[in-house]
Amino acid sequence: MREEFSAAGMRVDAPADVDEARRDFMFLRRLRGWVDGTASKIGGAIILALVSGIVWLIVAGAHAFFQAKS
């Protein structure tokens, strides 16, 4: 296992190095969570915009239809 970490550029020879690597992995996990959360919020905003646009088109079309009948 140490050889694999060493080949990846991670030092795990001393206990301090192991703690440092552990903190690096914890940072990456938090970063991934932040990115996933941001992506889901952006996706939700896009879906909300699309649904709002469709509802607006339906309302505007109905308004124009009933105005033409009058």
Side-chain angles (χ1 to χ4, degrees):
M1 190 76 159
R2 289 180 194 264
E3 294 173 9
E4 295 299 323
F5 280 135
S6 180
M10 294 181 64
R11 296 185 53 166
V12 289
D13 299 334
D17 294 333
V18 173
D19 289 339
E20 192 76 21
R22 189 174 290 131
R23 283 193 296 269
D24 289 342
F25 282 119
M26 288 172 21
F27 168 77
L28 289 174
R29 180 173 288 174
R30 284 192 310 268
L31 180 66
R32 187 189 66 211
W34 178 80
V35 169
D36 289 345
T38 302
S40 71
K41 288 177 185 173
I42 290 171
I46 291 172
I47 290 171
L48 178 63
L50 288 173
V51 169
S52 297
I54 291 170
V55 169
W56 178 80
L57 282 174
I58 291 170
V59 169
H63 184 6
F65 178 75
F66 289 118
Q67 287 290 335
K69 281 188 122 181
S70 301

